[in-house]
Amino acid sequence: MKPEQLQSVRATLRSPRRLKTEALAGLVVALALIPEAIAFSVIAGVDPRIGLFASFTMAVTISFVGGRPAMISAATGAVALVIAPLMRSHGLDHLIAAVILAGVFQILLAILGVTRLMRFIPRSVMVGFVNALAILVFMAQLPELIGVPWPVYPLVAGGLLIVIGFRRITTAVPSPLVAIVLLTALAVLARIDVPTVQDKGQLPESLPTLFIPQVPLTWETFQIIAPFSLSMALVGLLESLMTSKLVDDITDTRSNKTRESWGQGVANIITGFLGGMGGCAVIGQTMINVKGSGARSRVSTFLAGVFLLVLVVTLGDIVGLIPMAALVAVMIFISAITFEWHSVAPATLKRMPKSETAVMLITVVTVVVTHNLAIGVGVGVLAAMAMFARRVAHFATVERTEVELNGRTAATYTVDGELFFASSNDLYMQFNYARDAEPDIDKVVIDLHASHLWDASTIAVLDAVTEKYRRHGREVELIGLNSASIQMRERLAGKLNAAE
């Protein structure tokens, strides 16, 4: 049995206990998706129904075609930020066309093997990604705690106590669902005047229908929407694949990243043709589903989408009564259990290399400042690469010895370490070139048996070293090269502009 099928749909449907867990998890996720979908619609500049329909179609579609069971996909803030300028400049039809094209791009990227790039994301960047998401989830709740009636604060505090305390009593019913139900009942029965879900925007009263964007099928249209579509595709894939890896770690299972990539594309294409604003994996609701409610299969993802549509279309009046304080309490709890607290513990910081901690902090700060996960992860990876190159550069050493060869004194320089652009630049300065420094030395041997030539920069530096020795009338011999290094040197030596 494949790891991603450890809890299959068939096994879930055959087990009343598992099915109950998946169903209740889906219900909690659906309730949490409603205010966020509306909020993201506001960010994108579209009607709230556009965001709600997107969350429904993304969740249902990805439950069939996605590669990571139990992960939730819906309308997201990252996607909303990308497409908002297009909505303002060209309107809804161009936006929907861009969503559909973004889905096509995601499928193409999956075919090209973009998922293989995940291996180049270091653990420190992954930890920074998780911590930044937890901070963003928490920050997203702050507007609901500023300039609101005072009863909001005790309701949020009570909700947190319920979520934390009920988990210690039983896990048969998700504690976030208990908190939402109890706080809603209290607010309604006691007639507590606090902001509710219905204050966020009008809920839809009908099912989504086929939407064909009315845009000219011309090269000019493509030029307008393609940059937004590509940005949306990249941001959506990055957030989805990183979230998928996080769920893999939590559940100790593996997922099909390639399938997840083209699945996201299919979901966005379907979402676009049903009038939705598109989306990707959502970390907050995924953590509610997997970590907060214990869901493990595609059933919870599917039911989250179905419950969302049922709640907003048929039970909109009831759902609208839910106090925002209840959902804020749930999301604060989720942000707390999502944050990798051990990564900032004094004992961990003491043991961890400073460069690793720096990369994690750079990733967190960049994501929080830009509110863009793609930029944050990209900057984090670049920082990790730069620090790795700086650290490895100092591993290349040169040791000099003198030997007698056929009655002549020769200087042997033994190079130890990996030679690439960062380390080879220092290599040039570690030889004695002038005759007055070594008047009796006529031959120089550079022994490279303990090193490897990785790039053209190193070949150029070796060319420069040998040329400078020859200008001082000395014979130079390179020995000990491995086969790969010999091939690279034969191909490039003498064909590069050597440094002086």
Side-chain angles (χ1 to χ4, degrees):
M1 183 178 291
K2 294 181 180 180
E4 65 266 22
Q5 295 175 332
L6 286 176
Q7 183 171 324
S8 65
V9 173
R10 183 177 298 177
T12 302
L13 296 177
R14 287 179 174 177
S15 170
R17 181 181 60 83
R18 289 181 177 180
L19 183 57
K20 182 192 71 172
T21 299
E22 300 288 314
L24 291 176
L27 179 58
V28 176
V29 169
L31 291 171
L33 280 174
I34 294 172
E36 287 211 353
I38 296 174
F40 296 149
S41 299
V42 173
I43 293 174
V46 299
D47 188 281
R49 289 174 292 185
I50 305 298
L52 289 166
F53 286 156
S55 293
F56 158 68
T57 53
M58 287 294 297
V60 170
T61 304
I62 209 67
S63 68
F64 288 98
V65 300
R68 173 64 263 178
M71 190 168 76
I72 305 298
S73 290
T76 61
V79 169
L81 288 170
V82 169
I83 61 178
L86 179 62
M87 178 64 192
R88 288 194 296 268
S89 61
H90 290 82
L92 181 62
D93 287 285
H94 278 77
L95 182 145
I96 298 300
V99 170
I100 296 170
L101 182 59
V104 174
F105 282 154
Q106 288 177 327
I107 294 175
L108 293 176
L109 289 170
I111 294 173
L112 293 174
V114 70
T115 56
R116 289 194 291 269
L117 297 177
M118 286 294 293
R119 72 184 68 178
F120 297 108
I121 299 180
R123 180 185 177 278
S124 53
V125 175
M126 185 67 190
V127 173
F129 166 81
V130 172
N131 289 346
L133 282 172
I135 294 171
L136 288 181
V137 169
F138 176 78
M139 290 175 60
Q141 313 313 310
L142 295 181
E144 304 298 334
L145 299 173
I146 299 174
V148 293
W150 69 265
V152 167
Y153 303 109
L155 284 176
V156 171
L160 285 170
L161 290 175
I162 294 171
V163 172
I164 297 170
F166 196 81
R167 285 165 58 89
R168 298 179 179 178
I169 299 174
T170 179
T171 57
V173 179
S175 58
L177 178 60
V178 175
I180 292 171
V181 172
L182 290 181
L183 291 184
T184 301
L186 175 63
V188 171
L189 295 176
R191 297 185 178 180
I192 302 175
D193 186 17
V194 292
T196 62
V197 170
Q198 64 187 3
D199 296 328
K200 288 293 180 180
Q202 182 181 0
L203 300 180
E205 298 177 352
S206 61
L207 299 175
T209 57
L210 182 64
F211 185 99
I212 305 297
Q214 301 301 309
V215 296
L217 299 179
T218 62
W219 176 248
E220 183 181 356
T221 300
F222 179 82
Q223 288 180 306
I224 293 171
I225 67 174
F228 297 96
S229 298
L230 185 58
S231 297
M232 176 182 166
L234 293 173
V235 168
L237 279 186
L238 181 60
E239 187 164 352
S240 298
L241 293 176
M242 295 285 280
T243 304
S244 176
K245 189 174 186 300
L246 176 60
V247 178
D248 289 352
D249 294 339
I250 293 172
T251 60
D252 293 324
T253 60
R254 289 181 298 168
S255 58
N256 189 327
K257 303 298 190 300
T258 299
R259 177 175 174 179
E260 183 62 40
S261 297
W262 64 255
Q264 289 288 329
V266 171
N268 273 303
I269 291 173
I270 293 175
T271 298
F273 279 118
L274 289 177
M277 58 181 274
C280 61
V282 280
I283 183 68
Q285 281 68 21
T286 296
M287 290 299 100
I288 291 176
N289 198 45
V290 175
K291 212 167 184 178
S293 304
R296 290 293 183 272
S297 82
R298 300 175 184 276
V299 175
S300 58
T301 307
F302 173 77
L303 290 179
V306 172
F307 283 148
L308 172 63
L309 189 64
V310 172
L311 287 171
V312 298
V313 173
T314 64
L315 301 175
D317 292 338
I318 297 176
V319 172
L321 298 175
I322 297 175
M324 288 300 300
L327 298 174
V328 168
V330 171
M331 297 308 294
I332 290 176
F333 169 73
I334 292 302
S335 68
I337 64 174
T338 299
F339 195 90
E340 296 280 356
W341 294 103
H342 69 85
S343 66
V344 294
T348 303
L349 294 176
K350 186 177 181 180
R351 291 192 300 266
M352 190 70 65
K354 290 183 174 58
S355 60
E356 299 277 327
T357 302
V359 169
M360 185 269 287
L361 292 175
I362 289 171
T363 304
V364 170
V365 171
T366 306
V367 172
V368 172
V369 170
T370 64
H371 281 64
N372 190 309
L373 294 167
I375 294 176
V377 172
V379 170
V381 170
L382 290 175
M385 292 170 60
M387 291 185 183
F388 175 77
R390 180 175 179 273
R391 188 166 64 248
V392 173
H394 297 293
F395 289 163
T397 60
V398 177
E399 184 178 347
R400 182 184 180 280
T401 58
E402 291 186 8
V403 296
E404 290 292 329
L405 293 175
N406 301 323
R408 301 167 60 192
T409 302
T412 298
Y413 291 87
T414 302
V415 182
D416 186 356
E418 303 300 315
L419 299 179
F420 63 112
F421 64 90
S423 58
S424 59
N425 287 334
D426 293 334
L427 182 68
Y428 181 76
M429 306 302 297
Q430 298 189 45
F431 296 89
N432 295 328
Y433 299 103
R435 270 197 173 277
D436 55 1
E438 298 175 332
D440 299 327
I441 303 298
D442 291 321
K443 182 171 182 177
V444 174
V445 177
I446 301 176
D447 187 350
L448 297 161
H449 77 273
S451 60
H452 183 89
L453 312 185
W454 284 104
D455 58 13
S457 295
T458 304
I459 305 298
V461 168
L462 290 176
D463 284 350
V465 170
T466 56
E467 179 61 26
K468 193 154 190 175
Y469 269 123
R470 289 190 179 109
R471 289 181 181 179
H472 286 85
R474 297 184 180 185
E475 179 185 348
V476 181
E477 181 182 3
L478 271 62
I479 64 172
L481 287 172
N482 57 38
S483 58
S485 298
I486 290 175
Q487 291 176 8
M488 177 177 284
R489 188 163 186 271
E490 289 177 348
R491 189 170 64 251
L492 297 176
K495 301 179 176 63
L496 302 169
N497 292 323
E500 293 295 329

